[in-house]
Amino acid sequence: MWPFSRSCQSKARLAGKTVVITGANTGIGKETARDLYRRGARVILACRDIAKANAAAEEVKSALPSKPNREQFKGEPGEVAVCKLNLSNLASVRECANKLIDSEPNIHILINNAGVMMCPYGKTDDGYEMQFQTNHLGHFLLTLLLLPKIKNSAPGCRIINVSSTAHILGQMHWEDLNSEKSYNSVKAYGQSKLANVLFTKELSRRLKEANIEGINVYSLHPGVVSTELGRHLDSSLFRGARTIFSVIIGTFIKNPEQGAQTSIHCAVDEKAGKETGLYYKECAVTTPASKARNEKDAIKLWEESAKLVNLTAQENPFPERH
């Protein structure tokens, strides 16, 4: 277990705040939900499997984080709800967004946490490579659809994109974003995680350009975490890869609660509340790879993503650039 994992130090309470977390039925998403619920937030678990989401909701309400005596956990807990979201189906993304817009008076924090890693090649219901849509396109669309609601809930709103240090392995293959010409599960995962950081950068820039205040955006590396995310290692690399991976770097693997700390930090920390468009690990700002700081690529990715999700003029919260 990673011995030097930093914990979120903020004691901020979230009473009256509404948080949406994708993929929150397991792993760091569930631990993030547990922490924010105990801070008093209304937490919505946006998940593909409603049965698992309901089970996770009960667990979030019944089990305290490992340090329950912290000041931020002493007040009344919040609420937990679930909403169906299948990021590999853009119709489901739109349906989830519409439901949240209709049912929630406010959305203050959106945590784009769900993801798949190094899975065998497969296409989504919309015909896109599974990792690129689940990790990036689905969250891109969900964020833009919810942005008007988040804007109306400002100030103090935050959008958090869970990326990975694997973004350094990524490259935007503009002529083959869908990995149809060739497929390498590691490179495709890296591309999707690079897209998370570029999306964060461009969203921050567009918010500033549109003079939209009170919404800060973040991307982050949670660390190497023992979760279900690694379930495809054996099939994508070689038989036994998951076991070997765990043995070799076992000392450096975080448990899900440790892995959730940087997400929590970006969601609640007071200093982070004055920052936007940055990349974090171990609850602190750090510098991503140079390709994740390329403004032209960030703009191009936005434009390509808008086309791929068939973003309509009514769905686009930003005027077209001229």
Side-chain angles (χ1 to χ4, degrees), residues 5 21 31 44 55 59 104 108 160 170 193 269:
S5 178
I21 308 176
E31 294 305 324
I44 301 169
E59 186 178 341
E104 302 302 320
H108 302 93
I160 299 155
K193 295 289 99 179
D269 185 77

Side-chain angles (χ1 to χ4, degrees), residues 43 128 144 162 232 270:
V43 181
Y128 301 128
L144 295 195
V162 178
H232 294 297
E270 293 83 355

Side-chain angles (χ1 to χ4, degrees), residues 110 112 143 147 150 157-161 203 215-218:
L110 170 63
N112 291 318
T143 300
L147 195 56
I150 297 171
C157 294
R158 309 189 190 196
I159 298 170
I160 299 155
N161 297 314
L203 176 58
I215 305 175
N216 292 358
V217 296
Y218 313 80

Side-chain angles (χ1 to χ4, degrees), residues 101-155:
I101 290 168
D102 290 342
S103 66
E104 302 302 320
N106 295 287
I107 296 175
H108 302 93
I109 302 172
L110 170 63
I111 304 179
N112 291 318
N113 164 84
V116 291
M117 182 177 78
M118 301 180 193
C119 56
Y121 185 76
K123 288 189 174 182
T124 66
D125 297 333
D126 303 288
Y128 301 128
E129 190 273 316
M130 183 64 71
Q131 295 185 89
F132 190 63
Q133 179 166 337
T134 304
N135 297 349
H136 168 61
L137 288 178
H139 283 133
F140 171 85
L141 178 60
L142 180 68
T143 300
L144 295 195
L145 295 177
L146 293 181
L147 195 56
K149 175 71 72 172
I150 297 171
K151 178 183 175 182
N152 290 338
S153 306

Side-chain angles (χ1 to χ4, degrees), residues 11 32 67 119 135 161 165 197 225-226 239 285 295 321:
K11 296 179 173 59
T32 302
K67 297 180 180 180
C119 56
N135 297 349
N161 297 314
T165 194
V197 186
V225 187
S226 177
R239 186 181 297 275
V285 176
E295 181 177 340
R321 301 181 77 207

